Amino acid sequence: MSDDVADVLIIGAGASGAAVAWSLAETRMRIVCLEQGDWVNPSAYPTNSANWETQAFGPWNIDPNVRGLETDYPINNDDSECAVVNFNGVGGSTVLYGAHFPRLHPSDFKVKSLDGVADDWPIDYATLEPYFAENDRMMGVSGIAGDPMYPPKDPPLPPIAMGLVGETLARGYNKLGWHWWPSDSAIISEPYEDRDRCLYLGPCMSGCSQGGKSSTDITYWPKAVQRGVELRTRCRVREVTLDERGLADGVVYYDENGNECRQRAEIVIMACNGVGTPRILLNSKSSRFPDGLANRSGLVGKNLMFHVFGYVQGVFAERLDSHKGPVACCILSKQFYETDAARGFVRGYNMQIVRGSGPLGTAMAGFASGAVPWGKGHHEAFAKQFDHTAAIGIVGEDLPEEHNTVTLDPELVDSDGIPAPKITYKYSENSLKLMQHGLERGEEVMRAAGAADVMSAGPVRPSGWHLMGTARMGDDPATSVVNRWGRSHDVKNLFVVDGSIFVTSGGVNCASTIQACALYIADSIKKNLTNLFD
Amino acid sequence: MSNEPVLNDSQRALLPALLDTIVPASAEREMPSAAEVDFDAYLATQGQGAVPMLQAVLESLGPGFADLSADERHARLSELQSQQIALFSSLLACVYDCYYQDPSVRVKIGMVRGPVFPQGNEVAQGDLSLLDPVIENADAHRYRAPR
Ligand SMILES: Cc1cc2nc3c(=O)[nH]c(=O)nc-3n(C[C@H](O)[C@H](O)[C@H](O)COP(=O)(O)OP(=O)(O)OC[C@H]3O[C@@H](n4cnc5c(N)ncnc54)[C@H](O)[C@@H]3O)c2cc1C
Ligand code: SF4
């Protein structure tokens, strides 16, 4: 296969890889995508079994170090206050994501101009607006138009039912006069294209058996493959290689049996996420790039951002049916999204209302907190908690700091011997103050909504689901890795389309913006095809 | 012959007392005890991995455990909890996992009997007129436009 040259080679078949593949496919170029994981069979998801909760804690764990599948790579989180979570397979982390689907706000792209911190993005909300809309249509997004916290937008499907959890907390927000709105959700509330609607099973974060959740293995990929994209699974890329002109000319990868293979290409696109992409770039060393490919700025792997995450839980006297319905998609509040100097920190956070746990989660969490004893009194205490809780996730903006990094671990390797990523990460004082504020305001909402008991915790460690900043976008090659349309400043036929390119994190979940960026970069590639290498 | 570890007869004889101590029946709530659900079937199908843990627990409780009063059994298990918290947590996770999968238990706590897919759940849309105050107050909630 070594003299087989693809026009475009995409590495990673997750949220961004799928979007860029689908969009580029209309050019009829020969597009190959290499993905280290497999297609997931929906009948393998835990909700097909009564013991779905145990499976979600074990073989379907969101932490790859616990899951430990052959298709996963280990991640050294020892020097990090936050542990990375992900999924490796067709669909990438969207296979396990919560599908809460807010866009970054207009202000998020301009935090330097507005608040004097970090940097502005070289692009803005208006640049991405058509791509957000296209992505909403492609993924199948449910929501309701009119949220004053955004410029006008119109989700293609009506909102996911907010149920008693949403209603109860909405009353709390109204009592306080605070903003709230039904979440934009990458979950289909009605049949859409060839997919049937969400069945309100609950545990979307261990995979959706129904296909109601818009993971890219069932949205973009079937259409991209139909358009002629070749998606090759169980292919784990070790490094991107260069030709004598200093252009990327392909990759070296390992197939399912550990054989070393080569795929040549005219254009290489990295879509391995904010940890996987810097890992492979740093591992692609050459005499031209002794510190890793596309790394003349020295910024590959630096400025890692997660989002600081904590939660507030309320227990209510009345039954809320909280185990029913998509756990991460209900309503949200942006009351504290923007900077207010009086609060003692800059930027802000999203309050994401989260539904309740299943019975095993309720009993075990109750054991840990002391709220649900084993033995005498178990049933009474269990009944007070199960289906009687609601939670608020506090998702706060994490500003970029160069000392938060992805590097190559000197010892740990994956099953093919490729160095594992090592995460070095510490929450800033700003993040911790923001979190404290969020937890206190969350408690206020719970009380206003009538919660009998309220507890809160944050930052929470296994919350590294949003991986951003490690190959940042910018106009200046000295302070950024890729330009305003995702092209490496150093290697003209190398692109990055995943969360690595984020300049700042915003205070909302990032999948929608990652995909809008990927579609925008694909369009930029199409527009510049004739002068791509100038 | 499989090499899977199995509980021996004396260990099996202690199991009901152990299960009943962790989740006793509640007449008032009409909930069965964990000793009344099919723990054997659970062990045979899903819980094989838990057998060494159960053996360690049952060995540490000793053969007289079943003859103790309910309060004494509770005290004995509390002792185990304070001495070996990791072992005890695994024990709880295993017993709750089995108990809360039992179809009769699930129905009593308001869940569907078996796997949640494909049956699914009904969730009410909720009262969207609750948004009226947010809409009426839209100017106070307007997004911040960059300069
Ligand atoms: C449990 C969980 C919950 C989440 N909830 C939400 C949510 O509610 N809302 C939201 O917006 N976001 C959520 N996220 C985050 C969201 O899923 C990610 O931000 C998004 O999927 C990232 O897209 P990506 O394309 O950058 O990477 P991914 O989707 O992670 O895809 C990367 C792909 O690259 C492949 N890959 C990596 N390295 C290699 C290699 N060397 N060779 C070949 N293939 C490789 C991986 O196997 C993977 O399939 C969640 C994530 C998780 C894990
Ligand atoms: S709640 Fe809806 S989206 Fe989530 S797993 Fe169930 S059917 Fe899928």
Side-chain angles (χ1 to χ4, degrees), chain A residues 321-337:
Chain A
D321 278 350
S322 35
H323 81 276
K324 299 177 183 172
V327 63
C329 295
C330 186
I331 65 170
L332 54 71
S333 167
K334 301 286 177 56
Q335 181 66 28
F336 302 101
Y337 197 77

Side-chain angles (χ1 to χ4, degrees), chain A residues 288-325:
Chain A
R288 272 179 211 265
F289 292 100
D291 300 323
L293 189 59
N295 196 18
R296 295 216 171 100
S297 64
L299 290 173
V300 171
K302 292 191 177 153
N303 294 303
L304 171 66
M305 297 173 281
F306 287 117
H307 279 142
V308 54
F309 181 82
Y311 70 94
V312 180
Q313 184 185 272
V315 185
F316 291 81
E318 61 277 20
R319 192 175 180 107
L320 300 183
D321 278 350
S322 35
H323 81 276
K324 299 177 183 172

Side-chain angles (χ1 to χ4, degrees), chain A residues 35 74 131 213 215 299-300 363 365 422 439 441 444 465:
Chain A
E35 165 55 51
Y131 303 101
K213 185 177 82 170
S215 49
L299 290 173
V300 171
K422 172 175 162 54
L439 297 179
R441 296 296 82 73
E444 218 172 315
W465 26 55

